[in-house]
């Protein structure tokens, strides 16, 4: 199958391929599959999944690590009191 695209669509497809690191064929196959309702719609995937697919974020090296607090509030002080100060701008 050959696909002839108008120049503006071809350049937009090339730009999207460069931005995401995916091939133009992969992008076109995905778009056709969504249009024919053969694959899931992109809006059903999470932002995190789209970012991973676009290779803009890397998955965590360690799934979970226990975090120990480094700072403590003085006794009798709550975080709400710190946020509700008059000297804040």
């Amino acid at each position: 199958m050959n696909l002839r695209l108008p120049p503006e669509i071809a350049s937009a497809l090339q730009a999207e391929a460069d931005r995401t690191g995916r091939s133009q064929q992969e992008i076109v196959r995905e778009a056709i599959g969504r249009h024919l309702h053969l694959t899931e719609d992109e809006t059903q995937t999470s932002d995190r999944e789209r970012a991973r697919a676009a290779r803009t974020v890397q998955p965590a090296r360690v799934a979970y690590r226990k975090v120990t607090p480094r700072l403590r509030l003085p006794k009798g002080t709550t975080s709400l009191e710190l946020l509700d100060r008059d000297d804040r701008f």
Side-chain angles (χ1 to χ4, degrees):
M1 178 177 135
N2 290 326
L3 180 64
R4 292 180 184 87
L5 299 173
E8 61 274 2
I9 294 176
S11 63
L13 179 61
Q14 178 64 50
E16 180 67 9
D18 292 342
R19 185 184 70 80
T20 61
R22 298 166 57 200
S23 71
Q24 292 182 24
Q25 289 181 356
E26 184 180 354
I27 295 168
V28 170
R29 278 193 299 262
E30 180 184 331
I32 292 171
R34 278 197 325 264
H35 182 76
L36 298 175
H37 305 288
L38 299 173
T39 58
E40 284 188 22
D41 189 7
E42 184 178 302
T43 58
Q44 294 177 350
T45 58
S46 70
D47 291 337
R48 181 180 298 167
E49 290 169 351
R50 283 195 301 276
R52 282 186 183 167
R55 297 184 182 149
T56 55
V57 262
Q58 299 294 321
R61 285 180 258 156
V62 179
Y64 173 79
R65 93 182 144 119
K66 182 143 177 88
V67 177
T68 55
R70 296 181 185 170
L71 301 174
R72 299 205 184 272
L73 294 174
K75 286 191 176 195
T77 305
T78 65
S79 57
L80 183 58
E81 292 169 343
L82 295 175
L83 293 173
D84 196 24
R85 297 186 328 209
D86 291 332
D87 63 337
R88 291 183 61 220
F89 51 91

Coordinates of all heavy atoms in Angstrom, one line a residue:
M1 N 0.8 -1.2 0.0 CA 0.0 0.0 0.0 C 0.9 1.2 0.0 O 1.8 1.3 0.8 CB -0.9 0.0 1.3 CG -1.8 1.2 1.4 SD -2.8 1.0 2.8 CE -2.6 2.6 3.5
N2 N 0.6 2.2 -0.8 CA 1.2 3.4 -0.9 C 0.3 4.5 -0.4 O -0.9 4.4 -0.6 CB 1.7 3.8 -2.3 CG 2.8 3.0 -2.8 OD1 3.7 2.6 -2.0 ND2 2.8 2.7 -4.0
L3 N 0.8 5.4 0.4 CA -0.1 6.5 0.9 C 0.5 7.8 0.5 O 1.7 8.2 0.9 CB -0.1 6.4 2.5 CG -0.9 7.4 3.2 CD1 -2.4 7.2 2.8 CD2 -0.8 7.1 4.7
R4 N -0.2 8.6 -0.2 CA 0.2 9.9 -0.6 C -0.5 10.9 0.3 O -1.7 11.0 0.4 CB -0.2 10.2 -2.1 CG 0.6 9.3 -3.0 CD 0.2 9.6 -4.5 NE 0.9 8.7 -5.3 CZ 0.5 7.5 -5.7 NH1 -0.6 7.0 -5.2 NH2 1.2 6.7 -6.5
L5 N 0.4 11.7 0.9 CA -0.1 12.7 1.9 C 0.2 14.1 1.4 O 1.2 14.4 0.7 CB 0.6 12.6 3.2 CG 0.4 11.2 3.9 CD1 1.3 11.2 5.2 CD2 -1.0 11.1 4.4
P6 N -0.7 15.1 1.7 CA -0.4 16.5 1.4 C 0.8 16.9 2.1 O 1.1 16.4 3.2 CB -1.7 17.2 1.9 CG -2.7 16.2 2.0 CD -2.0 14.9 2.3
P7 N 1.6 17.9 1.6 CA 2.8 18.3 2.2 C 2.7 18.7 3.6 O 3.6 18.3 4.5 CB 3.3 19.4 1.3 CG 2.6 19.3 0.0 CD 1.3 18.6 0.3
E8 N 1.6 19.4 4.0 CA 1.5 19.8 5.4 C 1.3 18.7 6.4 O 1.8 18.7 7.5 CB 0.4 20.9 5.6 CG -1.0 20.4 5.2 CD -1.3 20.6 3.7 OE1 -0.5 21.0 2.9 OE2 -2.5 20.2 3.4
I9 N 0.6 17.6 5.9 CA 0.4 16.4 6.7 C 1.7 15.6 6.8 O 2.1 15.1 7.9 CB -0.8 15.6 6.2 CG1 -2.1 16.3 6.4 CG2 -0.9 14.2 7.0 CD1 -3.3 15.6 5.8
A10 N 2.4 15.5 5.7 CA 3.6 14.8 5.7 C 4.7 15.4 6.6 O 5.4 14.7 7.4 CB 4.2 14.7 4.3
S11 N 4.7 16.8 6.6 CA 5.7 17.4 7.5 C 5.3 17.3 8.9 O 6.1 17.2 9.8 CB 5.9 18.9 7.1 OG 4.7 19.6 7.2
A12 N 4.0 17.4 9.2 CA 3.5 17.2 10.6 C 3.8 15.8 11.1 O 4.2 15.6 12.2 CB 2.0 17.5 10.7
L13 N 3.6 14.8 10.2 CA 3.9 13.4 10.6 C 5.4 13.2 10.8 O 5.8 12.6 11.8 CB 3.4 12.5 9.5 CG 3.7 11.0 9.6 CD1 3.0 10.5 10.9 CD2 3.2 10.2 8.4
Q14 N 6.2 13.8 10.0 CA 7.7 13.8 10.2 C 8.1 14.4 11.6 O 8.9 13.9 12.3 CB 8.4 14.4 9.1 CG 9.9 14.4 9.2 CD 10.5 13.0 9.3 OE1 10.2 12.2 8.4 NE2 11.3 12.7 10.2
A15 N 7.5 15.6 11.9 CA 7.8 16.3 13.1 C 7.3 15.4 14.3 O 8.1 15.4 15.3 CB 7.1 17.6 13.1
E16 N 6.2 14.8 14.2 CA 5.7 13.9 15.3 C 6.6 12.7 15.5 O 6.9 12.3 16.6 CB 4.3 13.5 15.1 CG 3.7 12.6 16.2 CD 3.5 13.3 17.5 OE1 3.6 14.5 17.6 OE2 3.2 12.6 18.5
A17 N 7.1 12.1 14.4 CA 8.0 11.0 14.5 C 9.3 11.4 15.2 O 9.9 10.7 16.0 CB 8.3 10.4 13.1
D18 N 9.8 12.6 14.8 CA 11.1 13.1 15.4 C 10.9 13.4 16.9 O 11.7 13.1 17.7 CB 11.5 14.4 14.7 CG 12.0 14.1 13.3 OD1 12.3 13.0 12.9 OD2 12.0 15.1 12.5
R19 N 9.7 14.0 17.2 CA 9.4 14.4 18.6 C 9.3 13.1 19.5 O 9.8 13.1 20.6 CB 8.2 15.2 18.7 CG 7.8 15.7 20.1 CD 6.5 16.5 20.1 NE 5.4 15.6 19.9 CZ 4.9 14.8 20.9 NH1 5.4 14.9 22.1 NH2 3.8 14.0 20.7
T20 N 8.6 12.1 19.0 CA 8.4 10.9 19.9 C 9.4 9.8 19.7 O 9.4 8.9 20.5 CB 7.0 10.4 19.5 OG1 7.0 9.9 18.2 CG2 5.9 11.4 19.8
G21 N 10.2 9.9 18.7 CA 11.2 8.8 18.5 C 10.6 7.6 17.9 O 11.2 6.5 17.9
R22 N 9.3 7.7 17.4 CA 8.6 6.5 16.8 C 8.7 6.7 15.3 O 8.9 7.8 14.7 CB 7.2 6.5 17.2 CG 7.1 6.3 18.7 CD 5.7 6.6 19.3 NE 4.7 5.8 18.6 CZ 3.4 6.1 18.6 NH1 3.0 7.2 19.1 NH2 2.5 5.3 18.0
S23 N 8.5 5.6 14.6 CA 8.5 5.6 13.1 C 7.2 6.2 12.6 O 6.2 6.2 13.3 CB 8.7 4.2 12.5 OG 7.6 3.5 12.7
Q24 N 7.3 6.8 11.4 CA 6.1 7.3 10.8 C 5.0 6.2 10.6 O 3.8 6.4 10.8 CB 6.4 8.0 9.5 CG 7.2 9.3 9.6 CD 7.5 9.9 8.3 OE1 6.7 9.7 7.3 NE2 8.5 10.7 8.2
Q25 N 5.5 5.0 10.2 CA 4.6 3.9 10.0 C 3.8 3.5 11.2 O 2.6 3.3 11.2 CB 5.3 2.7 9.5 CG 5.8 2.8 8.0 CD 6.6 1.6 7.6 OE1 6.7 0.6 8.4 NE2 7.0 1.6 6.3
E26 N 4.6 3.5 12.4 CA 3.9 3.2 13.6 C 2.8 4.2 14.0 O 1.8 3.9 14.5 CB 5.0 3.2 14.7 CG 4.5 2.8 16.1 CD 5.6 2.7 17.1 OE1 6.8 2.9 16.8 OE2 5.3 2.5 18.3
I27 N 3.1 5.5 13.8 CA 2.2 6.5 14.1 C 0.9 6.4 13.2 O -0.2 6.5 13.7 CB 2.8 7.9 13.9 CG1 3.9 8.1 15.0 CG2 1.7 9.0 14.0 CD1 4.8 9.3 14.7
V28 N 1.1 6.1 11.9 CA 0.0 6.0 11.0 C -0.8 4.8 11.3 O -2.1 4.8 11.3 CB 0.5 6.0 9.5 CG1 -0.6 5.6 8.5 CG2 1.1 7.3 9.1
R29 N -0.2 3.6 11.6 CA -0.9 2.4 12.0 C -1.7 2.6 13.2 O -2.9 2.2 13.3 CB 0.1 1.3 12.2 CG 0.6 0.6 11.0 CD 1.3 -0.7 11.3 NE 2.4 -0.5 12.1 CZ 3.7 -0.5 11.6 NH1 3.9 -0.6 10.3 NH2 4.7 -0.3 12.4
E30 N -1.2 3.3 14.2 CA -1.9 3.6 15.4 C -3.1 4.5 15.1 O -4.2 4.3 15.7 CB -1.0 4.3 16.5 CG -1.7 4.6 17.8 CD -0.8 5.3 18.7 OE1 0.4 5.1 18.7 OE2 -1.4 6.1 19.5
A31 N -2.9 5.5 14.3 CA -4.0 6.4 14.0 C -5.1 5.7 13.2 O -6.3 5.9 13.5 CB -3.5 7.6 13.2
I32 N -4.8 4.9 12.3 CA -5.8 4.1 11.6 C -6.5 3.1 12.5 O -7.8 3.0 12.4 CB -5.2 3.4 10.4 CG1 -4.7 4.4 9.3 CG2 -6.2 2.4 9.7 CD1 -3.9 3.8 8.2
G33 N -5.8 2.5 13.3 CA -6.4 1.6 14.3 C -7.4 2.3 15.2 O -8.5 1.8 15.5
R34 N -7.0 3.5 15.7 CA -8.0 4.2 16.5 C -9.2 4.7 15.7 O -10.3 4.6 16.2 CB -7.2 5.4 17.1 CG -6.4 5.1 18.3 CD -6.1 6.4 19.1 NE -5.8 7.6 18.4 CZ -4.7 8.0 18.0 NH1 -3.6 7.4 18.4 NH2 -4.5 9.1 17.3
H35 N -9.0 5.1 14.5 CA -10.1 5.6 13.7 C -11.1 4.5 13.4 O -12.3 4.7 13.4 CB -9.5 6.2 12.4 CG -10.6 6.7 11.5 ND1 -11.2 7.9 11.7 CD2 -11.2 6.2 10.4 CE1 -12.1 8.2 10.8 NE2 -12.1 7.1 10.0
L36 N -10.6 3.3 13.2 CA -11.4 2.1 12.9 C -11.9 1.4 14.2 O -12.5 0.4 14.1 CB -10.7 1.1 12.0 CG -10.3 1.7 10.6 CD1 -9.5 0.6 9.9 CD2 -11.6 2.1 9.8
H37 N -11.6 2.0 15.3 CA -11.9 1.4 16.6 C -11.4 0.0 16.8 O -12.1 -0.8 17.4 CB -13.5 1.4 16.8 CG -14.1 2.8 16.7 ND1 -13.9 3.8 17.6 CD2 -14.8 3.3 15.7 CE1 -14.5 4.9 17.2 NE2 -15.0 4.7 16.0
L38 N -10.2 -0.2 16.3 CA -9.6 -1.5 16.5 C -8.6 -1.5 17.6 O -8.2 -2.6 18.1 CB -8.9 -2.0 15.2 CG -9.8 -2.1 14.0 CD1 -9.0 -2.4 12.7 CD2 -10.8 -3.2 14.2
T39 N -8.2 -0.3 18.0 CA -7.3 -0.2 19.2 C -7.9 0.8 20.1 O -8.8 1.5 19.8 CB -5.9 0.3 18.7 OG1 -6.0 1.5 18.1 CG2 -5.2 -0.7 17.8
E40 N -7.3 0.8 21.4 CA -7.8 1.7 22.4 C -7.5 3.2 22.0 O -6.5 3.5 21.4 CB -7.1 1.5 23.7 CG -7.6 0.2 24.4 CD -7.0 0.1 25.8 OE1 -6.6 1.2 26.4 OE2 -7.0 -1.0 26.4
D41 N -8.4 4.0 22.4 CA -8.3 5.4 22.1 C -7.2 6.0 23.0 O -7.1 5.6 24.2 CB -9.6 6.2 22.4 CG -9.6 7.6 21.9 OD1 -8.6 8.0 21.3 OD2 -10.5 8.3 22.2
E42 N -6.4 6.9 22.5 CA -5.3 7.5 23.3 C -5.8 8.2 24.6 O -5.1 8.3 25.6 CB -4.6 8.5 22.4 CG -3.3 9.1 23.1 CD -2.6 10.0 22.2 OE1 -2.2 9.6 21.1 OE2 -2.5 11.2 22.5
T43 N -7.0 8.7 24.6 CA -7.5 9.4 25.7 C -7.8 8.4 26.9 O -7.9 8.9 28.0 CB -8.9 10.1 25.4 OG1 -9.8 9.2 25.0 CG2 -8.7 11.2 24.4
Q44 N -7.8 7.1 26.6 CA -8.0 6.1 27.7 C -6.7 5.8 28.4 O -6.7 5.2 29.4 CB -8.7 4.9 27.1 CG -10.1 5.1 26.6 CD -10.7 3.9 26.1 OE1 -10.0 2.9 25.8 NE2 -12.0 4.0 25.8
T45 N -5.6 6.1 27.8 CA -4.3 5.8 28.4 C -3.9 7.0 29.3 O -4.3 8.2 29.1 CB -3.2 5.6 27.4 OG1 -3.1 6.8 26.6 CG2 -3.5 4.4 26.5
S46 N -3.2 6.7 30.4 CA -2.8 7.7 31.3 C -1.7 8.6 30.8 O -1.0 8.3 29.8 CB -2.4 7.1 32.6 OG -1.1 6.5 32.5
D47 N -1.6 9.8 31.4 CA -0.5 10.7 31.0 C 0.8 10.0 31.2 O 1.7 10.2 30.4 CB -0.6 12.0 31.9 CG -1.8 12.8 31.5 OD1 -2.3 12.7 30.4 OD2 -2.2 13.6 32.4
R48 N 1.0 9.3 32.2 CA 2.2 8.6 32.5 C 2.6 7.6 31.4 O 3.7 7.5 30.9 CB 2.2 7.9 33.9 CG 3.4 7.2 34.2 CD 3.3 6.5 35.6 NE 3.1 7.5 36.6 CZ 2.7 7.2 37.8 NH1 2.5 5.9 38.2 NH2 2.5 8.1 38.7
E49 N 1.6 6.8 31.0 CA 1.8 5.8 29.9 C 2.2 6.5 28.6 O 3.0 6.1 27.9 CB 0.5 5.0 29.7 CG 0.3 4.0 30.9 CD -1.1 3.4 30.8 OE1 -1.9 3.8 29.9 OE2 -1.3 2.5 31.6
R50 N 1.5 7.7 28.3 CA 1.8 8.4 27.1 C 3.3 9.0 27.2 O 4.0 9.0 26.2 CB 0.8 9.5 26.8 CG -0.5 9.0 26.2 CD -1.3 10.1 25.6 NE -1.7 11.1 26.6 CZ -2.7 11.1 27.5 NH1 -3.5 10.0 27.5 NH2 -2.9 12.1 28.3
A51 N 3.6 9.5 28.3 CA 5.0 10.0 28.5 C 6.0 8.9 28.4 O 7.1 9.1 27.8 CB 5.1 10.7 29.9
R52 N 5.8 7.8 28.9 CA 6.7 6.6 28.7 C 6.8 6.2 27.3 O 7.9 5.9 26.8 CB 6.3 5.5 29.6 CG 6.6 5.6 31.0 CD 6.3 4.4 31.8 NE 6.6 4.5 33.2 CZ 6.2 3.7 34.1 NH1 5.5 2.6 33.8 NH2 6.5 3.9 35.4
A53 N 5.7 6.2 26.6 CA 5.7 5.8 25.2 C 6.4 6.8 24.4 O 7.1 6.5 23.4 CB 4.2 5.7 24.7
A54 N 6.3 8.1 24.7 CA 7.0 9.1 24.0 C 8.5 9.2 24.5 O 9.2 10.1 23.9 CB 6.3 10.5 24.2
R55 N 8.9 8.4 25.4 CA 10.2 8.4 26.0 C 10.7 9.7 26.6 O 11.8 10.1 26.5 CB 11.2 8.0 24.9 CG 11.0 6.6 24.4 CD 12.0 6.2 23.4 NE 11.7 4.8 22.9 CZ 12.0 4.4 21.7 NH1 12.6 5.2 20.9 NH2 11.7 3.2 21.4
T56 N 9.7 10.5 27.1 CA 10.0 11.7 27.8 C 10.3 11.5 29.3 O 10.9 12.4 29.9 CB 8.9 12.8 27.7 OG1 7.7 12.2 28.2 CG2 8.7 13.2 26.2
V57 N 9.9 10.4 29.8 CA 10.2 10.0 31.2 C 10.6 8.6 31.2 O 10.2 7.8 30.4 CB 9.0 10.1 32.2 CG1 9.0 11.4 32.9 CG2 7.7 9.8 31.5
Q58 N 11.5 8.3 32.1 CA 12.0 6.9 32.3 C 11.3 6.3 33.5 O 11.0 7.0 34.5 CB 13.5 6.9 32.5 CG 14.3 7.5 31.4 CD 14.2 6.7 30.1 OE1 14.2 5.4 30.2 NE2 14.1 7.3 29.0
P59 N 11.0 5.0 33.4 CA 10.5 4.3 34.6 C 11.4 4.4 35.8 O 12.7 4.4 35.6 CB 10.2 2.9 34.1 CG 10.9 2.7 32.9 CD 11.2 4.1 32.3
A60 N 10.9 4.3 37.0 CA 11.8 4.3 38.1 C 12.7 3.1 38.2 O 12.3 2.0 37.8 CB 10.9 4.4 39.4
R61 N 13.9 3.4 38.6 CA 14.9 2.2 38.8 C 14.5 1.3 39.9 O 14.6 0.1 39.8 CB 16.3 2.8 39.0 CG 16.9 3.3 37.7 CD 18.3 3.8 37.9 NE 18.1 5.3 38.0 CZ 18.9 6.1 38.7 NH1 20.0 5.6 39.3 NH2 18.7 7.4 38.7
V62 N 13.9 1.9 40.9 CA 13.5 1.1 42.1 C 12.0 1.4 42.2 O 11.6 2.6 42.2 CB 14.2 1.5 43.4 CG1 13.7 0.8 44.6 CG2 15.7 1.4 43.2
A63 N 11.2 0.4 42.3 CA 9.7 0.6 42.4 C 9.3 1.4 43.6 O 8.4 2.2 43.5 CB 9.0 -0.8 42.4
Y64 N 9.9 1.1 44.8 CA 9.5 1.8 46.0 C 10.7 1.9 46.9 O 11.4 0.9 47.0 CB 8.3 1.1 46.6 CG 8.0 1.7 48.0 CD1 7.2 2.8 48.1 CD2 8.4 1.1 49.2 CE1 6.9 3.4 49.3 CE2 8.1 1.6 50.4 CZ 7.3 2.8 50.5 OH 7.1 3.3 51.7
R65 N 10.8 3.0 47.6 CA 11.8 3.0 48.6 C 11.3 3.8 49.8 O 10.5 4.8 49.6 CB 13.1 3.6 48.1 CG 13.3 5.1 48.3 CD 14.6 5.5 47.7 NE 14.4 6.8 47.1 CZ 15.0 7.9 47.5 NH1 16.0 7.8 48.4 NH2 14.7 9.1 47.0
K66 N 11.6 3.4 51.0 CA 11.0 4.0 52.2 C 11.8 5.4 52.3 O 13.0 5.4 52.3 CB 11.2 3.1 53.4 CG 10.7 3.7 54.6 CD 10.1 2.6 55.5 CE 9.6 3.2 56.8 NZ 8.3 3.6 56.7
V67 N 11.0 6.4 52.6 CA 11.5 7.7 52.8 C 11.4 8.1 54.2 O 10.4 7.9 54.9 CB 10.7 8.8 51.9 CG1 11.3 10.2 52.2 CG2 10.8 8.4 50.5
T68 N 12.5 8.5 54.8 CA 12.5 8.9 56.2 C 12.5 10.5 56.2 O 13.3 11.1 55.5 CB 13.8 8.4 56.9 OG1 14.9 8.8 56.2 CG2 13.8 6.9 57.0
P69 N 11.7 11.0 57.0 CA 11.6 12.5 57.1 C 12.9 13.1 57.6 O 13.5 12.6 58.6 CB 10.4 12.8 58.0 CG 10.1 11.5 58.7 CD 10.7 10.4 57.9
R70 N 13.3 14.2 57.0 CA 14.6 14.8 57.5 C 14.3 16.0 58.4 O 15.1 16.4 59.2 CB 15.4 15.3 56.3 CG 15.8 14.1 55.4 CD 16.6 14.7 54.2 NE 17.0 13.6 53.3 CZ 17.5 13.7 52.2 NH1 17.7 14.9 51.7 NH2 17.8 12.7 51.4
L71 N 13.2 16.7 58.2 CA 12.9 17.8 59.0 C 11.6 17.5 59.8 O 10.7 16.8 59.4 CB 12.6 19.0 58.1 CG 13.7 19.5 57.1 CD1 13.2 20.6 56.2 CD2 14.9 20.0 57.9
R72 N 11.6 18.1 61.0 CA 10.5 17.9 61.9 C 10.0 19.3 62.4 O 10.8 20.2 62.5 CB 10.8 17.1 63.1 CG 11.3 15.7 62.7 CD 11.1 14.7 63.9 NE 11.6 13.4 63.5 CZ 10.9 12.5 62.9 NH1 9.7 12.7 62.6 NH2 11.4 11.3 62.7
L73 N 8.7 19.4 62.5 CA 8.2 20.7 63.0 C 8.3 20.7 64.5 O 8.3 19.7 65.2 CB 6.7 20.8 62.7 CG 6.3 20.9 61.2 CD1 4.8 20.8 61.1 CD2 6.8 22.2 60.7
P74 N 8.5 21.9 65.1 CA 8.5 22.0 66.6 C 7.2 21.5 67.2 O 6.2 21.6 66.5 CB 8.7 23.5 66.8 CG 9.2 24.1 65.5 CD 8.7 23.2 64.4
K75 N 7.3 21.0 68.4 CA 6.1 20.5 69.0 C 5.1 21.6 69.1 O 5.4 22.7 69.5 CB 6.5 19.9 70.4 CG 7.2 18.6 70.3 CD 7.3 18.0 71.7 CE 8.0 16.7 71.5 NZ 7.9 15.8 72.7
G76 N 3.8 21.2 68.9 CA 2.7 22.2 69.0 C 2.5 23.0 67.7 O 1.6 23.8 67.6
T77 N 3.4 22.8 66.7 CA 3.2 23.5 65.4 C 2.7 22.6 64.3 O 3.2 21.5 64.2 CB 4.6 24.1 64.9 OG1 5.1 24.9 66.0 CG2 4.4 25.0 63.7
T78 N 1.7 23.0 63.6 CA 1.2 22.1 62.5 C 1.5 22.8 61.2 O 1.8 24.0 61.1 CB -0.4 22.0 62.6 OG1 -0.9 23.3 62.4 CG2 -0.8 21.4 64.0
S79 N 1.5 22.0 60.1 CA 1.8 22.5 58.8 C 0.8 23.5 58.4 O 1.1 24.4 57.6 CB 1.9 21.3 57.8 OG 0.7 20.6 57.8
L80 N -0.5 23.3 58.8 CA -1.5 24.3 58.5 C -1.2 25.7 59.0 O -1.4 26.7 58.4 CB -2.9 23.8 59.0 CG -4.1 24.7 58.7 CD1 -4.2 24.8 57.2 CD2 -5.3 24.1 59.3
E81 N -0.7 25.7 60.2 CA -0.3 27.0 60.8 C 0.8 27.6 60.0 O 0.9 28.9 59.8 CB 0.2 26.8 62.3 CG -1.0 26.4 63.2 CD -0.4 26.0 64.6 OE1 0.8 25.7 64.7 OE2 -1.3 25.9 65.5
L82 N 1.7 26.9 59.5 CA 2.8 27.4 58.6 C 2.3 28.0 57.3 O 2.8 29.0 56.8 CB 3.9 26.4 58.4 CG 4.6 25.9 59.6 CD1 5.6 24.7 59.1 CD2 5.4 27.0 60.2
L83 N 1.3 27.3 56.8 CA 0.7 27.8 55.5 C -0.2 29.0 55.7 O -0.5 29.7 54.7 CB -0.1 26.6 54.9 CG 0.8 25.4 54.4 CD1 -0.1 24.3 53.9 CD2 1.7 25.9 53.3
D84 N -0.8 29.2 56.8 CA -1.8 30.2 57.1 C -1.2 31.4 57.8 O -1.7 31.9 58.8 CB -2.9 29.6 57.9 CG -4.2 30.5 57.8 OD1 -4.3 31.3 56.8 OD2 -5.0 30.5 58.7
R85 N 0.0 31.9 57.3 CA 0.6 33.0 57.9 C 0.3 34.3 57.2 O 0.1 34.3 56.0 CB 2.2 32.8 57.9 CG 2.6 31.6 58.7 CD 4.1 31.5 58.8 NE 4.8 32.0 57.6 CZ 5.9 31.6 57.1 NH1 6.6 30.7 57.8 NH2 6.5 32.2 56.1
D86 N 0.4 35.4 57.9 CA 0.1 36.7 57.3 C 1.3 37.2 56.5 O 1.1 38.1 55.6 CB -0.3 37.7 58.4 CG -1.6 37.4 59.1 OD1 -2.4 36.8 58.4 OD2 -1.8 37.8 60.3
D87 N 2.5 36.7 56.8 CA 3.7 37.3 56.1 C 3.9 36.6 54.7 O 4.8 37.0 54.0 CB 4.9 37.2 57.0 CG 5.3 35.7 57.3 OD1 4.4 34.9 57.2 OD2 6.4 35.5 57.6
R88 N 3.0 35.7 54.4 CA 3.1 35.1 53.0 C 2.6 36.0 52.0 O 1.7 36.8 52.2 CB 2.4 33.8 53.0 CG 3.0 32.7 53.9 CD 2.2 31.4 53.7 NE 2.3 30.9 52.4 CZ 1.3 30.4 51.7 NH1 0.1 30.2 52.4 NH2 1.4 30.0 50.5
F89 N 3.1 36.0 50.8 CA 2.6 36.9 49.8 C 1.7 36.2 48.9 O 1.5 35.1 48.8 CB 3.8 37.5 48.9 CG 4.7 36.5 48.4 CD1 4.5 35.9 47.2 CD2 5.8 36.1 49.1 CE1 5.4 34.9 46.7 CE2 6.7 35.1 48.6 CZ 6.5 34.6 47.4

